[in-house]
Amino acid sequence: MYQTHFGLSELPFSLTPNTSLFHALPPHLEAIHTTLAALGMGEGIIQISGEVGTGKTLVCRMLINQLPEHFDLAFLPTPAANGHELRLALSRELNIQADGDNTTLTEHLHQALIERKGKGRSVVVLLDEAQALSDDALEVIRLLGNLETEQEKLLHVVLLGQPELDQRLEQYHMRQFRQRITFRASLRPLDLAETISYIEFRLNGAGCRQTLFELGQYREIWRASQGIPRLINQLCHKALIAACSNNSQLVGREEVLMAIKDTLGARQPKWTFPVLWGWH
């Protein structure tokens, strides 16, 4: 493996979200700061949206790490199939009695939230893959978001999902839920400068002490990945494997091209000869 070949302390481009290699780039910082500020103001429902691979799960983990001490967390990584399952999952996460029908479950949740608020505690629910929630489950979130005292909300919900969630919320029958979302943040793709900074940060974090990519290779990785961090990781990982196989200490055009051709979802160049790469 190239880790030893390049003298790295760990693999810098693993697809598993690693908070120790989190690079504070503008789109991710904006999402985290917006969410924490909204929670600090006591807002009910907050939405973070982003295309596949833009870093929603990593942002979610950073939010978990940065939540203020007075927040109790309920993290639901798997979308509930219906409203009843959502109530059950939330009750279990908060160690609340999880039995009875929907009315009983809601009463138990309401009472537990009031008790926690009386002790100075607030509850935050992080819902990943929110685009896969059923309409029934979204309606339950809206109703739970209505639980409040005379001064503030009892439950705060953060939805993390793909752009398909926005499309669903634009439907007429979702207008009540849409109006409950008070703050939104979007994770956009990285530009060229951000892509270079992202790659170099991860390499440095993995103990790299030499130049592995030149500007031309950075540019082609950015074009092929279209600024999507997950694709950037895949391309860099495969390019480093190829360079190691060629016993090279520098990633060249040949290794980057091999990585691009081997990566599903990567934008393919229209031509690569003789010097400049051409793109559609």
Side-chain angles (χ1 to χ4, degrees):
M1 182 57 74
Y2 65 79
Q3 182 176 332
T4 302
H5 179 77
F6 293 112
L8 305 176
S9 58
E10 61 180 307
L11 294 176
F13 300 107
S14 171
L15 293 184
T16 302
N18 185 348
T19 55
S20 67
L21 292 177
F22 174 74
H23 188 24
L25 290 168
H28 301 92
L29 274 183
E30 180 184 346
I32 292 171
H33 290 166
T34 296
T35 302
L36 292 176
L39 292 174
M41 291 184 287
E43 301 295 346
I45 301 178
I46 304 143
Q47 179 189 354
I48 299 175
S49 63
E51 192 51 81
V52 174
T54 51
K56 294 184 295 299
T57 300
L58 185 56
V59 165
C60 184
R61 293 191 180 185
M62 294 301 298
L63 282 171
I64 291 172
N65 292 341
Q66 295 183 33
L67 277 179
E69 287 294 325
H70 69 279
F71 282 111
D72 291 334
L73 172 68
F75 177 44
L76 304 180
T78 305
N82 53 57
H84 182 70
E85 285 191 10
L86 180 63
R87 290 184 179 92
L88 285 174
L90 182 56
S91 298
R92 292 177 184 130
E93 276 290 302
L94 297 175
N95 295 317
I96 298 170
Q97 184 178 352
D99 57 16
D101 58 17
N102 287 334
T103 301
T104 302
L105 285 170
T106 301
E107 289 175 353
H108 288 164
L109 281 168
H110 194 187
Q111 186 59 39
L113 293 173
I114 290 175
E115 291 174 0
R116 289 175 191 242
K117 183 63 70 174
K119 298 175 182 178
R121 310 293 300 173
S122 294
V123 174
V124 178
V125 182
L126 290 182
L127 281 159
D128 203 1
E129 303 294 345
Q131 77 282 347
L133 289 167
S134 66
D135 285 0
D136 182 38
L138 288 173
E139 177 63 10
V140 168
I141 293 171
R142 184 186 73 82
L143 294 174
L144 292 176
N146 289 337
L147 300 179
E148 56 191 358
T149 66
E150 292 183 359
Q151 292 82 27
E152 56 189 332
K153 296 288 185 182
L154 292 174
L155 189 68
H156 313 282
V157 180
V158 181
L159 301 172
L160 297 103
Q162 297 169 16
E164 289 86 342
L165 178 60
D166 291 305
Q167 297 169 13
R168 288 183 59 199
L169 295 180
E170 286 300 320
Q171 299 177 61
Y172 181 75
H173 72 279
M174 298 299 295
R175 65 192 184 283
Q176 291 190 62
F177 187 93
R178 186 170 64 244
Q179 292 175 5
R180 294 295 195 280
I181 300 174
T182 52
F183 281 85
R184 287 182 172 87
S186 296
L187 298 177
R188 60 167 174 80
L190 308 182
D191 61 26
L192 176 58
E194 291 167 345
T195 298
I196 295 173
S197 178
Y198 174 82
I199 294 172
E200 292 185 343
F201 179 87
R202 294 187 75 98
L203 286 171
N204 291 335
C208 182
R209 297 296 179 262
Q210 65 192 77
T211 299
L212 298 184
F213 295 87
E214 295 181 336
L215 178 59
Q217 280 63 65
Y218 281 135
R219 184 179 291 111
E220 302 311 330
I221 288 172
W222 172 64
R223 288 184 182 276
S225 68
Q226 300 178 78
I228 302 297
R230 183 180 296 164
L231 287 176
I232 294 172
N233 285 355
Q234 291 182 24
L235 293 171
C236 289
H237 180 66
K238 293 177 181 179
L240 287 170
I241 291 175
C244 177
S245 298
N246 294 336
N247 199 30
S248 173
Q249 290 296 320
L250 184 69
V251 176
R253 295 177 73 249
E254 178 184 346
E255 288 81 14
V256 171
L257 179 59
M258 188 222 72
I260 292 172
K261 288 184 175 180
D262 189 61
T263 302
L264 292 175
R267 184 184 178 203
Q268 300 295 319
K270 189 175 182 179
W271 70 83
T272 59
F273 181 84
V275 178
L276 297 177
W277 287 16
W279 301 83
H280 290 289

Coordinates of all heavy atoms in Angstrom, one line a residue, residues 42 110-111 113-118 121-122 144-156:
G42 N -32.8 28.8 19.6 CA -34.0 28.0 20.0 C -34.9 27.7 18.8 O -36.1 27.4 19.0
H110 N -43.6 14.2 25.1 CA -43.9 15.6 25.5 C -43.5 15.7 27.0 O -42.9 16.7 27.4 CB -45.4 15.8 25.3 CG -45.7 17.3 25.5 ND1 -47.0 17.7 25.4 CD2 -45.0 18.4 25.6 CE1 -47.0 19.1 25.6 NE2 -45.8 19.5 25.7
Q111 N -43.9 14.8 27.8 CA -43.6 14.9 29.3 C -42.1 14.8 29.5 O -41.6 15.6 30.4 CB -44.3 13.7 30.0 CG -44.2 13.8 31.5 CD -44.8 15.1 32.1 OE1 -45.8 15.5 31.6 NE2 -44.1 15.7 33.1
L113 N -39.7 15.7 27.5 CA -39.1 17.0 27.0 C -39.3 18.1 28.0 O -38.5 18.9 28.3 CB -39.7 17.3 25.6 CG -39.3 16.4 24.5 CD1 -40.1 16.8 23.2 CD2 -37.8 16.4 24.2
I114 N -40.5 18.2 28.6 CA -40.8 19.2 29.6 C -39.9 19.0 30.8 O -39.4 20.0 31.4 CB -42.3 19.1 30.0 CG1 -43.2 19.6 28.8 CG2 -42.6 20.0 31.2 CD1 -44.7 19.5 29.1
E115 N -39.8 17.8 31.3 CA -38.9 17.5 32.4 C -37.5 17.9 32.1 O -36.8 18.5 33.0 CB -39.0 16.0 32.8 CG -40.3 15.6 33.3 CD -40.4 14.1 33.6 OE1 -39.4 13.4 33.3 OE2 -41.5 13.6 34.0
R116 N -37.0 17.6 31.0 CA -35.6 18.0 30.6 C -35.5 19.5 30.5 O -34.4 20.1 31.0 CB -35.2 17.3 29.3 CG -35.0 15.8 29.4 CD -34.7 15.2 28.0 NE -34.8 13.8 28.0 CZ -33.8 13.0 27.8 NH1 -32.6 13.5 27.4 NH2 -33.9 11.6 27.8
K117 N -36.5 20.2 30.0 CA -36.4 21.6 29.9 C -36.4 22.2 31.3 O -35.7 23.2 31.5 CB -37.6 22.1 29.1 CG -37.6 23.6 28.8 CD -36.4 24.1 28.0 CE -36.5 23.7 26.6 NZ -35.4 24.2 25.8
G118 N -37.1 21.6 32.2 CA -37.1 22.1 33.6 C -35.8 22.0 34.2 O -35.5 22.7 35.2
R121 N -32.1 21.4 30.2 CA -31.6 20.6 29.1 C -32.5 20.9 27.8 O -33.7 21.0 27.9 CB -31.6 19.1 29.4 CG -31.0 18.8 30.7 CD -29.5 19.0 30.7 NE -28.9 18.2 29.6 CZ -27.6 18.4 29.4 NH1 -26.8 19.3 30.0 NH2 -27.0 17.6 28.4
S122 N -31.9 20.8 26.7 CA -32.6 20.9 25.4 C -32.3 19.7 24.6 O -31.2 19.1 24.7 CB -32.2 22.2 24.6 OG -32.6 23.3 25.3
L144 N -44.1 17.2 16.1 CA -43.2 17.2 17.3 C -42.6 18.6 17.4 O -42.3 19.0 18.5 CB -42.2 16.1 17.2 CG -42.7 14.7 17.3 CD1 -41.5 13.7 17.1 CD2 -43.3 14.4 18.7
G145 N -42.3 19.2 16.3 CA -41.7 20.5 16.3 C -42.7 21.6 16.9 O -42.2 22.7 17.2
N146 N -44.0 21.2 17.0 CA -44.9 22.2 17.6 C -44.9 22.1 19.1 O -45.5 23.0 19.8 CB -46.4 21.8 17.1 CG -46.6 22.2 15.6 OD1 -45.9 23.1 15.1 ND2 -47.5 21.6 15.0
L147 N -44.2 21.1 19.7 CA -44.2 21.0 21.1 C -43.3 22.1 21.7 O -42.1 22.3 21.3 CB -43.6 19.6 21.5 CG -44.3 18.4 21.1 CD1 -43.6 17.1 21.5 CD2 -45.8 18.4 21.6
E148 N -43.9 22.9 22.5 CA -43.2 24.1 23.0 C -43.8 24.6 24.4 O -44.9 24.3 24.7 CB -43.2 25.2 22.0 CG -44.6 25.6 21.6 CD -44.7 26.5 20.4 OE1 -43.6 26.9 19.9 OE2 -45.8 26.9 19.9
T149 N -43.0 25.4 25.1 CA -43.5 26.1 26.2 C -44.0 27.5 25.7 O -44.0 27.7 24.5 CB -42.4 26.3 27.3 OG1 -41.4 27.2 26.7 CG2 -41.8 25.0 27.7
E150 N -44.4 28.3 26.6 CA -44.8 29.7 26.2 C -43.6 30.5 25.6 O -43.9 31.5 24.9 CB -45.4 30.4 27.4 CG -46.8 29.8 27.8 CD -47.4 30.6 28.9 OE1 -46.8 31.6 29.3 OE2 -48.5 30.3 29.4
Q151 N -42.4 30.1 26.0 CA -41.3 30.9 25.5 C -40.4 30.2 24.4 O -39.8 30.9 23.6 CB -40.3 31.2 26.7 CG -40.9 32.1 27.8 CD -41.8 31.4 28.7 OE1 -41.7 30.2 29.0 NE2 -42.8 32.1 29.3
E152 N -40.4 28.9 24.4 CA -39.4 28.2 23.5 C -39.8 26.8 23.1 O -40.7 26.2 23.7 CB -38.0 28.2 24.2 CG -38.0 27.5 25.5 CD -36.7 27.7 26.3 OE1 -35.7 27.8 25.6 OE2 -36.7 27.6 27.5
K153 N -39.1 26.3 22.1 CA -39.4 25.0 21.6 C -38.8 24.0 22.5 O -37.8 24.2 23.2 CB -38.7 24.8 20.2 CG -39.2 25.7 19.1 CD -40.6 25.3 18.7 CE -41.1 26.1 17.4 NZ -42.5 25.7 17.0
L154 N -39.5 22.8 22.6 CA -39.0 21.7 23.4 C -38.1 20.8 22.7 O -37.3 20.0 23.3 CB -40.2 20.9 24.0 CG -41.1 21.6 25.0 CD1 -42.3 20.8 25.4 CD2 -40.3 21.9 26.3
L155 N -38.2 20.8 21.3 CA -37.5 19.9 20.5 C -36.9 20.6 19.3 O -37.6 21.4 18.7 CB -38.4 18.7 20.0 CG -37.7 17.6 19.3 CD1 -36.9 16.8 20.3 CD2 -38.8 16.7 18.7
H156 N -35.6 20.4 19.0 CA -35.0 21.0 17.9 C -34.6 19.9 16.9 O -34.0 18.9 17.3 CB -33.7 21.8 18.3 CG -34.0 22.7 19.5 ND1 -34.6 23.9 19.4 CD2 -33.7 22.5 20.8 CE1 -34.7 24.5 20.6 NE2 -34.2 23.6 21.5

